[in-house]
Amino acid sequence: MSAPVAPPGWSRWLVPPAALSVHLSIGQAYAWSVFKPPLESALDLSGTQSALPFQLAIVMLGLSAAFGGTMVERRGPRWAMTVALVCFSSGFLLSALGAATQQFWLIVFGYGVVGGIGLGIGYISPVSTLIKWFPDRPGLATGIAIMGFGGGALIASPWSARMLESFGEDHTGIAAAFLVHGLTYAVFMSLGVLLIRVPRPAAAGSPTATATATAAAKGPAPGAAPAPAPGPGPEVRVSARGALRTPQFWCLWVVLCMNVTAGIGILEKAAPMIRDFFAGSSAPVSASAAAGFVALLSAANMAGRIGWSSTSDLIGRKNVYRLYLGVGALMYLLIVLFGGSSKPVFVVCALVLLSFYGGGFATIPAYLKDLFGTYQVGAIHGRLLTAWSTAGVLGPLIVNWLADREAAAGKDGPELYVLSLSIMTGLLVVGFIANELVRPVHPRHHLPAPTAPKEAAHGADARSQQPESA
């Protein structure tokens, strides 16, 4: 199941589409809010209960990425993409069975546990490979791929809403929609499995080697992308185990956790939230318009992943996270103060927040590369995604539990969300402080560079662990 080494002349720009085929599929997770109202009605669930499959899927995403990161590095991207295909599609098929038999626990197990494993392995499957193909533009490369995860709901949200309209919003209609999802995504993800390639080791004249050598010796070539923001240098090699012993890893863990908690809470409940905010206005939001809002958020999420991650190549990772966390806190304040009285303010602030949310995900692999080097960066990234697991529980729990509590107290409209959105503002401030504490990794955590004979003797292993420019 190891991915074939790219033949001479292979274009590295064929690798991002392979990653996109997987990430666009597993990005369906961000369209879960479309299924929440039908599930609540068909199976008599509360808002907190209907969020459980999504929450568990995000928990399993982080855990499977953390525990499977080293295995993905060792076995390669094709193996990882195949595992993701099988788990993610099987999760939908189990969920379809659970909906058809009205067994909610089976939906939780299928979508949350089995599908969540597919999310985690699929999410990290191309990251290390892309950084090795694009050492000169790591933010752009990972942004292109991870953009797909943010943009998955742009397709899945209206598609799911249309299927529910056609099949019906009872348990049989939900089961049919889950079944179609599982089969369709299996076919689409197989394209990435077939297309993925790993780079040849520093072949003379290869695009990556040429770009890296030029950048190192002369600076950027005419027309080439600017070099990454100054980092610790290509000689830095920190193992996944060693990274866990550094304060930098845990500062970034807090940064990612706070940014994701603040974004995922609004994203998971986006469709019912916008309807609640304007239910008492002269122009309430319909179910189809709410699904369109979810798709719009997905577009912002997707655009942020490529736009902000590419910007980080120019202004540096730390500066771009200052933007995500500082301006993000301001956006939440604007929603709390003015969002209930103005749809444009609510929508624009939500779009900016989701662009920062997506950008945070896409920029973190390049941030890790700057601090720890490319050695085992995929495994380090996988361990860091446990922050996503934590946030996947905290964000929806805060928003849904507080909304249910406020509704029980007789409140409605924007009052359902004032407290939870204020909490999100505070979390972003905590993340901002953690980002300010990030410093270069102390040399005592660095591993010595391998000697050339050792590289040659361990050809296959070197290809899986060293950047193409090594």
Side-chain angles (χ1 to χ4, degrees), residues 90-107 171 174-176 178-179:
S90 297
F92 267 114
L93 299 182
L94 288 171
S95 297
L97 179 61
T101 58
Q102 301 186 62
Q103 297 294 317
F104 182 60
W105 70 268
L106 194 52
I107 298 176
H171 68 96
I174 296 170
F178 282 156
L179 178 63

Side-chain angles (χ1 to χ4, degrees), residues 217-235:
K218 305 179 182 178
E235 73 281 358

Side-chain angles (χ1 to χ4, degrees), residues 181-263:
H181 275 74
L183 297 177
T184 303
Y185 285 136
V187 174
F188 194 61
M189 293 172 75
S190 66
L191 298 177
V193 174
L194 296 174
L195 188 59
I196 192 68
R197 298 289 187 277
V198 295
R200 303 179 70 82
S206 69
T208 309
T210 301
T212 306
T214 301
K218 305 179 182 178
E235 73 281 358
V236 172
R237 288 165 51 90
V238 181
S239 68
R241 180 177 297 180
L244 294 177
R245 301 189 181 103
T246 66
Q248 289 81 358
F249 177 89
W250 296 106
C251 283
L252 289 187
W253 193 97
V254 172
V255 166
L256 185 63
C257 185
M258 297 301 100
N259 193 48
V260 174
T261 301

Side-chain angles (χ1 to χ4, degrees), residues 42-229:
L43 302 181
D44 192 25
L45 305 173
S46 67
T48 303
Q49 289 173 319
S50 66
L52 188 57
F54 174 82
Q55 287 177 285
L56 190 54
I58 299 302
V59 170
M60 294 306 300
L61 185 158
L63 293 178
S64 60
F67 289 105
T70 303
M71 189 174 296
V72 170
E73 285 279 304
R74 185 169 65 247
R75 297 197 176 186
R78 176 168 286 184
W79 174 87
M81 289 179 175
T82 302
V83 171
L85 184 160
V86 172
C87 291
F88 189 65
S89 297
S90 297
F92 267 114
L93 299 182
L94 288 171
S95 297
L97 179 61
T101 58
Q102 301 186 62
Q103 297 294 317
F104 182 60
W105 70 268
L106 194 52
I107 298 176
V108 173
F109 175 75
Y111 191 91
V113 178
V114 180
I117 294 172
L119 287 178
I121 300 299
Y123 189 86
I124 64 173
S125 62
V127 170
S128 179
T129 303
L130 282 165
I131 288 178
K132 292 167 187 173
W133 274 110
F134 293 86
D136 52 324
R137 286 177 277 183
L140 172 65
T142 55
I144 290 174
I146 295 176
M147 172 184 69
F149 193 88
L154 186 62
I155 300 169
S157 180
W159 181 39
S160 300
R162 182 62 60 87
M163 279 196 288
L164 290 171
E165 290 176 4
S166 300
F167 299 147
E169 296 190 358
D170 60 357
H171 68 96
T172 58
I174 296 170
F178 282 156
L179 178 63
V180 172
H181 275 74
L183 297 177
T184 303
Y185 285 136
V187 174
F188 194 61
M189 293 172 75
S190 66
L191 298 177
V193 174
L194 296 174
L195 188 59
I196 192 68
R197 298 289 187 277
V198 295
R200 303 179 70 82
S206 69
T208 309
T210 301
T212 306
T214 301
K218 305 179 182 178

Side-chain angles (χ1 to χ4, degrees), residues 256-296:
L256 185 63
C257 185
M258 297 301 100
N259 193 48
V260 174
T261 301
I264 207 168
I266 189 173
L267 185 59
E268 185 272 338
K269 201 173 175 65
M273 182 181 290
I274 192 171
R275 297 185 71 182
D276 289 338
F277 253 79
F278 301 101
S281 69
S282 58
V285 177
S286 66
S288 59
F293 175 64
V294 174
L296 197 60

